[in-house]
Amino acid sequence: MITEHDLARIRALPGDQSVLMAVVHVHPADQDNHGGALTTRVKSALSDLGVPPTLAGRLLDDVARARESRGKSAVYVLGEEVEERFDVQLDLPERFHFGRPLPTLVENAAHALPRVGVLAVDRDWARLFVFEQGELTELRRERHTELDNVDRDDLTASTSTVPGAQGAARAQDGSGFSAQGTGPRSDSGVEFFQRHLDALQQRFYNQTAQDLSKELGDRDLGHLILVGPVARLAEFRAEIPATASYEVIGETNVEVGTGSAPDQMLLDRLPPLVEEFDQAQETRLMEQLQEGGVMEMERVLEMVQQGRLYLLAIPEDGSQLHIYRSHNPEVPYFTARKDVTESPLDGSPMERVTLEEVLPQFQALSGLEVRRVPGEHAEKLVREYGGLAGLARY
């Protein structure tokens, strides 16, 4: 897994040294990785980039080991003073880069799917997890101990008869009801017992929902998936306040109790739910851009530099788009126009760079959020919107 600490180290790499960065799909179950196919594919990609033999050899030597590791994809950062490999449990598209450090390549791998909270809950258990980069980490496990301490006999015995009730006890000779007796037998004891259980259960769900808001907030998690029996999840959702700081984005069940469900059983059910949610977000974003977004690359770049955008939508692989950047980082200027050879701000020469290279500067300039859109959405972004699009602050 790639941690925030790892990302900070990658961002801190000197910008004047060349590094080899790659995302390699090493999943052993993929037929394209059988035999020497994986090595041949990687070697061809490195040759196309002109990677020096020594540096390319370091990556090729490790690829076979990465295929035997626990990850589905391996993310590499290799250079004179750095040698990193991060194993990620996701099937990521392959990418290769050689040149100045490109932190966004690693960031993109780390954020390929949204981080979400997962709560497995039923009458007996509440287990909280975080699902990130294809891995599931349990944060808390709580048993509903109040149910263990309930004595059914004590609760039902005291309410199964009504001592001394008028005409309550049937005469032993079958002649009817006597004037005095021990009271009628009734189902009221069972009903009282069930109401008591329901009250305990509601209190457990209510407390779990209250704790959840803080726990998810502390970890900057805004989305939640619920796991458990359908009826229990409906009862739990009734306790979630309308003002909750998180959104329930999906529900699923497991064949065994939530308290004993293996992590792998949960993992098998989570990715489709998260991917469906991610795709729905992408669709909503494209609709927002269509309705009120800023389009055309030059206009978008102008508004980025003015700090007027809060969100920038780019194709999934920003290394395929090029723009021009002023050589002086102290007075940044960006344009998509090829005929601009000098910055109009300070006269410094312009250089051609990939969009991927300048994203950190964009974010530093105006604190905007960068959203990558894949597949057909990326094609539409390039074909109809000019390559970039954004949502304005005002």
Side-chain angles (χ1 to χ4, degrees), residues 227-241:
V227 179
V230 174
R232 303 299 168 238
L233 296 187
E235 293 168 354
F236 176 76
R237 290 193 70 152
E239 300 302 321
I240 299 178

Side-chain angles (χ1 to χ4, degrees), residues 6 80 155 157 209 254 299 356 358:
D6 296 327
E80 290 184 8
L155 286 171
V254 289
R299 177 60 175 158
E356 201 76 52
V358 300

Side-chain angles (χ1 to χ4, degrees), residues 237-288:
R237 290 193 70 152
E239 300 302 321
I240 299 178
T243 56
S245 59
Y246 55 89
E247 175 189 0
V248 177
I249 63 171
E251 296 182 6
T252 187
N253 195 9
V254 289
E255 289 79 4
V256 299
T258 56
S260 58
D263 286 3
Q264 189 58 50
M265 185 177 290
L266 298 175
L267 277 170
D268 291 341
R269 286 158 176 75
L270 294 176
L273 294 174
V274 178
E275 289 168 8
E276 182 180 353
F277 168 69
D278 194 39
Q279 291 168 5
Q281 281 194 312
E282 291 166 6
T283 300
R284 284 196 297 269
L285 173 60
M286 296 302 288
E287 290 171 352
Q288 287 179 288

